[in-house]
C-alpha cells in the first residue's frame, strides 16, 4: 500500500509522515531529503547553477540512501547538512530542473515498488504515485508554519527572525506552487488535513485513522 503525504514546507509533514510510517510498520520515503541531498552535492562540487543540463548527470551519479533517521550521500551522513539554510535556499535549482526530477522520480518509484510505504513531498499523490491507495494533503497557515520552522532552526543552533523565516518561506511557497514540473498541488482524491491547532500526536492519530479506514 502506498500512502502519499503532500503539502507546503513547515506543515509538519516530515514528522507526521515518519511517525505514521512507524505506527503502521511501513517504510518512510522523505523525497525532500533527496532534492536536498542533490543540492548539497552540487554545492560541495562547486556546481555552476547556470549549467542546468549538467545537474541531472550529477544527480544520477549520486548514491542517496534514506535510512531510518538518517540520510547518506555517497556513504557520508548528511542528515544535518541537508537542513542548513544554505542548502534549503539552493534546493529550488534542483527541484525546478525537469531532468533531475525524472531521475529522482525513478529512484522514488524504485524505492516503493512492492512495499508498504508512506511517502512525503510535493508531487507524490499527483505525479509520482497517482494510483496510491491513500492520499493526504497536509497543510497549515503560513504564520504557524514559519513559527515552527523558526523553532526548528533555534533547536539546531541557528538564529533568525520570524520575519526572515516568513520571507524565505513565502518565496519557497511561491516557487513550489509555480514550478513548471511537479508543482505543489492537491490531488483531486486527496484528503486535506490542517495541522494548525493540533499537536504532533493528534496529527498522527488523525492520519493513522484515515489510513486504517482504507486498509
Ligand atoms: O520538504 P522539504 O522542505 O525537505 O523539500 C525540499 C525542497 O524540495 C523544497 O524546495 C521542495 C522540493 N521538493 C519537491 O520539489 N518535490 C518533492 N517531492 C519534495 C520536495
Amino acid at each position: 500500500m502506498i500512502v502519499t503525504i503532500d503539502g507546503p514546507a513547515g506543515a509538519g509533514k516530515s514528522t507526521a509522515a515518519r511517525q505514521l510510517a512507524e505506527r503502521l510498520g511501513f517504510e518512510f520515503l522523505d523525497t525532500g531529503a533527496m532534492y536536498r541531498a542533490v543540492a548539497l552535492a552540487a554545492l560541495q562540487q562547486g556546481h555552476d547553477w547556470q549549467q542546468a543540463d549538467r545537474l541531472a548527470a550529477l544527480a544520477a551519479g549520486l548514491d542517496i540512501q534514506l535510512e531510518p533517521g538518517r540520510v547518506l550521500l555517497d556513504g557520508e551522513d548528511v542528515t544535518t547538512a541537508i537542513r542548513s539554510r544554505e542548502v534549503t535556499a539552493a534546493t529550488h535549482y534542483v527541484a525546478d530542473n525537469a531532468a533531475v526530477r525524472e531521475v529522482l522520480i525513478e529512484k522514488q518509484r524504485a524505492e516503493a515498488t512492492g512495499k508498504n510505504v508512506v511517502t512525503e513531498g510535493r508531487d507524490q499523490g499527483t505525479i509520482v504515485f497517482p494510483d496510491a491507495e491513500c492520499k493526504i494533503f497536509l497543510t497549515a497557515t503560513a504564520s504557524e508554519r514559519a513559527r515552527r520552522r523558526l523553532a526548528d532552526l533555534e533547536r539546531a543552533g541557528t538564529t533568525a527572525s520570524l520575519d526572515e523565516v516568513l520571507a524565505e518561506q513565502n518565496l519557497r511557497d511561491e516557487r513550489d506552487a509555480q514550478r513548471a514540473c511537479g508543482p505543489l498541488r492537491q490531488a483531486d482524491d486527496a484528503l486535506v488535513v490542517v495541522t494548525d491547532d493540533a499537536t504532533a500526536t493528534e496529527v498522527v492519530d488523525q492520519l493513522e485513522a484515515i489510513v486504517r479506514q482504507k486498509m
Side-chain angles (χ1 to χ4, degrees):
M1 177 179 195
I2 293 185
V3 178
T4 62
I5 302 187
D6 293 304
K13 289 192 309 289
S14 286
T15 312
R18 180 173 289 114
Q19 291 180 5
L20 176 67
E22 263 172 35
R23 283 198 199 177
L24 297 168
F26 284 21
E27 292 198 16
F28 170 54
L29 198 58
D30 176 357
T31 63
M34 291 181 166
Y35 288 90
R36 288 170 177 273
V38 175
L40 175 65
L43 288 170
Q44 285 174 341
Q45 294 179 23
H47 170 80
D48 175 1
W49 295 117
Q50 302 310 317
Q51 309 224 314
D53 48 336
R54 292 206 182 162
L55 204 52
L58 186 152
L62 297 173
D63 176 24
I64 303 169
Q65 298 290 336
L66 303 180
E67 294 188 349
R70 61 179 199 159
V71 181
L72 300 182
L73 173 61
D74 288 336
E76 189 196 336
D77 188 336
V78 295
T79 316
T80 308
I82 59 167
R83 305 274 155 208
S84 72
R85 284 174 84 190
E86 189 192 9
V87 171
T88 300
T91 303
H92 71 94
Y93 290 112
V94 176
D96 287 346
N97 188 305
V100 173
R101 295 197 78 89
E102 270 178 40
V103 171
L104 294 187
I105 286 171
E106 280 317 305
K107 280 187 200 275
Q108 290 156 20
R109 289 184 179 144
E111 291 277 345
T113 302
K115 295 180 189 157
N116 288 320
V117 176
V118 174
T119 178
E120 178 246 311
R122 304 291 188 285
D123 56 352
Q124 300 299 289
T126 50
I127 290 174
V128 187
F129 301 107
D131 299 326
E133 291 89 336
C134 182
K135 300 182 186 178
I136 291 159
F137 193 81
L138 199 72
T139 189
T141 55
S143 56
E144 176 61 16
R145 291 188 285 120
R147 199 188 58 68
R148 291 178 189 167
R149 170 83 180 139
L150 183 62
D152 283 349
L153 285 171
E154 284 172 350
R155 264 195 297 276
T158 307
T159 36
S161 71
L162 188 62
D163 283 350
E164 279 175 309
V165 172
L166 193 56
E168 285 170 9
Q169 178 183 279
N170 286 341
L171 190 64
R172 284 208 292 151
D173 281 358
E174 174 90 8
R175 283 185 175 137
D176 278 350
Q178 302 302 328
R179 176 167 298 124
C181 44
L184 172 64
R185 199 168 58 72
Q186 184 192 321
D188 294 338
D189 49 351
L191 279 163
V192 182
V193 174
V194 181
T195 66
D196 272 49
D197 298 319
T199 64
T201 307
E202 286 167 348
V203 173
V204 185
D205 288 346
Q206 201 178 340
L207 299 185
E208 187 182 0
I210 291 171
V211 178
R212 290 209 184 273
Q213 264 194 344
K214 305 232 177 206
M215 280 169 103

